[in-house]
Amino acid sequence: MSVSVQAEDFDLGVEVAAMTSGNPDIGAVVTFIGLVRDTTGGALLSMELEHYPGMTEQALSQIEQAATKRWSLNASRVIHRYGNLQTGAQIMMVATASAHRSDAFEAAEFLMDYLKTDAPFWKKEHFKEGGEWVASKAADDAAKDRWSS
Amino acid sequence: MSVSVQAEDFDLGVEVAAMTSGNPDIGAVVTFIGLVRDTTGGALLSMELEHYPGMTEQALSQIEQAATKRWSLNASRVIHRYGNLQTGAQIMMVATASAHRSDAFEAAEFLMDYLKTDAPFWKKEHFKEGGEWVASKAADDAAKDRWSS
Amino acid sequence: MQLDVLYFAWVRERIGLAKEQVTTDAQTVADLVKELSVREERYQAAFQDMTVVKVAIDQTMVSLDAPLKGAREVAFFPPMTGG
Amino acid sequence: MQLDVLYFAWVRERIGLAKEQVTTDAQTVADLVKELSVREERYQAAFQDMTVVKVAIDQTMVSLDAPLKGAREVAFFPPMTGG
């Protein structure tokens, strides 16, 4: 179980290998990667990620602990970047490892849904004409709420 | 959209990078990896994977096409190994790339559920005392059936 | 009619071979199973419980009552356990 | 009471700073918002619609009516958009 908030990029293969190495109980690993997407067909210059240092790490750890309590996980990993990122760059990843695929899948989705609404990150898209803060989505609240039922 | 059935190992990071590179519409990538699990606490010598050449590739391609029809995917990748694998070795992976995480997650779960029941692979666990074919699970049929409702 | 008949996993092990050519007048998969089962005990051992044996004709899954007409390749195997 | 008050994203941009020390007798977050809003227009611009502003006290999310007693750090920011 481990959380990193960093400016640097990460290597998915290396992270997954580190999670699973030497643990013969792991049968399933699910990962999610978020990438900087250009929805304008080429006008995006970059995406800036702001966060709340201190609270971010705490929020991510709490979300990870909640997932670990709810599903049978052998390991989990959350990495979220901040700073100025180019189109196609990796923004963040979550990875979950378990004996069985259903635990790994559900826990990864849970981590993502809570991370979206509870981890203090904000995205700003930079265009030639200026910057624009990405609006939060009602769908993200709905996605999180499904875990409470 | 691409399927490989191979004896060789694969590199998750390389596969994902190849899938997403140069496609600015991709915002979300979900991957699943299956690993050889030792449920005996050390008695497993190896796991043998047998398959039905020809039918395997066809079945995997059909499953991938069904996923592509049902969800909005920018790319997908399925790799499944055969032969004799050690504890901890990678058995297979699926990866799905989409603009949004819900498509990527659902399509990856769908691919896994159908692959489990419809792709002609069989696992045999080898122990000191001999080999044992892994039994299919009723849970796998149930997991697949949820997509028909 | 001449068919390539393939066996996989424990079906293959019980029958003792992976592939054979079979000349048969069987109309359906079920007829072929009956014909092979009376032929030798090892087929009977493999086919004794057909609820745990799956069948593909020309690499497409079919049910036991599927007709063999036009088939070139028939395969028998246990439920899949990949992934 | 002296508080560190932090602003993020467009709340930070409207107020024009990321962090300040505020001396206040406000009992709740809502009182503090009111106090700042009458102080200067830029606060009013940031806090005009508090349904789109979230609050954390000492790095834990709270509601607008949360008491400030014992607080050291209060943060205002828009709904999160990470991931």
Side-chain angles (χ1 to χ4, degrees):
Chain A
M1 318 293 138
S2 129
V3 158
S4 300
V5 181
Q6 62 191 45
E8 306 79 53
D9 201 5
F10 54 84
D11 183 318
L12 178 69
V14 169
E15 294 297 334
V16 168
M19 266 179 77
T20 57
S21 134
N23 192 337
D25 296 331
I26 296 176
V29 179
V30 170
T31 72
F32 176 90
I33 312 173
L35 302 171
V36 176
R37 209 176 129 229
D38 184 355
T39 57
T40 64
L44 184 73
L45 296 180
S46 67
M47 181 175 274
E48 186 188 330
L49 270 135
E50 180 172 340
H51 78 120
Y52 183 171
M55 180 171 168
T56 315
E57 291 79 358
Q58 199 176 298
L60 292 176
S61 293
Q62 276 166 5
I63 296 166
E64 204 181 38
Q65 279 160 33
T68 302
K69 222 170 167 174
R70 189 154 171 171
W71 288 279
S72 175
L73 298 180
N74 295 98
S76 62
R77 181 89 174 102
V78 179
I79 302 177
H80 205 301
R81 298 175 70 191
Y82 57 82
N84 216 37
L85 304 177
Q86 304 305 306
T87 299
Q90 301 188 123
I91 301 170
M92 49 79 60
M93 64 163 279
V94 308
T96 52
S98 178
H100 304 290
R101 76 182 185 285
S102 59
D103 286 83
F105 267 119
E106 284 183 25
E109 288 201 67
F110 174 93
L111 286 173
M112 282 309 303
D113 289 345
Y114 272 80
L115 187 152
K116 281 267 174 191
T117 57
D118 289 16
F121 288 98
W122 302 274
K123 285 182 187 137
K124 189 177 191 175
E125 295 178 319
H126 289 287
F127 305 101
K128 244 187 215 163
E129 315 80 44
E132 213 165 288
W133 291 98
V134 172
S136 67
K137 292 196 198 85
D140 286 334
D141 286 318
K144 176 184 146 184
D145 287 346
R146 69 182 156 145
W147 301 105
S148 319
S149 62
Chain B
M1 317 293 137
S2 129
V3 158
S4 301
V5 181
Q6 62 190 46
E8 307 80 52
D9 201 4
F10 54 84
D11 183 318
L12 178 69
V14 169
E15 294 297 335
V16 169
M19 265 179 79
T20 59
S21 133
N23 192 335
D25 295 331
I26 296 175
V29 179
V30 170
T31 73
F32 176 91
I33 313 173
L35 303 170
V36 177
R37 208 175 130 228
D38 184 356
T39 57
T40 64
L44 185 74
L45 297 179
S46 67
M47 180 174 273
E48 187 188 329
L49 269 137
E50 181 172 339
H51 79 120
Y52 183 172
M55 181 172 168
T56 315
E57 291 80 357
Q58 200 175 297
L60 292 176
S61 292
Q62 275 166 5
I63 297 166
E64 204 181 38
Q65 278 160 33
T68 302
K69 221 169 167 176
R70 190 154 171 172
W71 287 279
S72 174
L73 298 180
N74 296 98
S76 61
R77 181 87 175 104
V78 179
I79 302 177
H80 205 301
R81 297 176 69 190
Y82 57 83
N84 216 37
L85 304 176
Q86 304 304 306
T87 300
Q90 301 188 124
I91 301 170
M92 49 78 61
M93 64 163 278
V94 308
T96 52
S98 178
H100 304 291
R101 76 183 187 284
S102 59
D103 286 83
F105 266 119
E106 284 182 27
E109 288 201 67
F110 174 93
L111 286 173
M112 282 309 304
D113 289 345
Y114 273 80
L115 188 152
K116 282 264 172 192
T117 58
D118 289 15
F121 288 99
W122 302 275
K123 285 181 186 137
K124 189 177 191 175
E125 295 177 320
H126 289 286
F127 305 102
K128 244 188 214 161
E129 315 80 43
E132 213 165 288
W133 290 98
V134 171
S136 68
K137 291 196 199 86
D140 286 335
D141 286 317
K144 177 185 144 181
D145 288 345
R146 69 181 156 146
W147 301 105
S148 320
S149 64
Chain C
M1 167 176 47
Q2 210 174 41
L3 291 171
D4 283 334
V5 185
L6 278 64
Y7 309 108
F8 292 97
W10 57 253
V11 177
R12 171 179 55 70
E13 288 181 342
R14 286 189 197 173
I15 292 173
L17 49 89
K19 188 175 178 176
E20 63 182 322
Q21 281 212 329
V22 173
T23 305
T24 177
D25 293 323
Q27 298 293 303
T28 66
V29 173
D31 291 344
L32 177 64
V33 166
K34 232 178 286 175
E35 196 181 304
L36 291 168
S37 295
V38 296
R39 213 210 270 182
E40 271 181 74
E41 208 164 310
R42 56 199 173 107
Y43 293 99
Q44 211 187 324
F47 295 143
Q48 62 190 354
D49 180 4
M50 286 303 290
T51 64
V52 293
V53 177
K54 296 193 170 265
V55 192
I57 294 181
D58 294 331
Q59 309 191 351
T60 298
M61 303 276 293
V62 296
S63 60
L64 260 184
D65 56 3
L68 286 174
K69 208 187 158 195
R72 286 172 322 237
E73 183 175 298
V74 179
F76 295 97
F77 43 77
M80 284 82 143
T81 55
Chain D
M1 166 176 49
Q2 213 173 41
L3 292 170
D4 284 333
V5 185
L6 278 63
Y7 311 107
F8 293 97
W10 58 253
V11 177
R12 172 178 55 71
E13 288 182 341
R14 286 189 197 174
I15 292 174
L17 49 89
K19 188 176 178 175
E20 63 182 322
Q21 281 212 329
V22 172
T23 306
T24 178
D25 293 321
Q27 299 290 304
T28 67
V29 172
D31 292 343
L32 176 63
V33 167
K34 231 177 287 175
E35 196 182 301
L36 291 168
S37 296
V38 298
R39 214 212 267 182
E40 273 182 73
E41 208 164 309
R42 57 199 173 105
Y43 293 99
Q44 212 187 323
F47 295 144
Q48 61 192 357
D49 180 4
M50 286 304 289
T51 64
V52 293
V53 177
K54 295 192 171 267
V55 192
I57 293 180
D58 294 331
Q59 308 191 351
T60 298
M61 303 277 291
V62 296
S63 59
L64 260 185
D65 57 3
L68 287 174
K69 209 188 158 195
R72 286 173 321 238
E73 183 175 297
V74 179
F76 295 97
F77 43 77
M80 285 82 144
T81 56

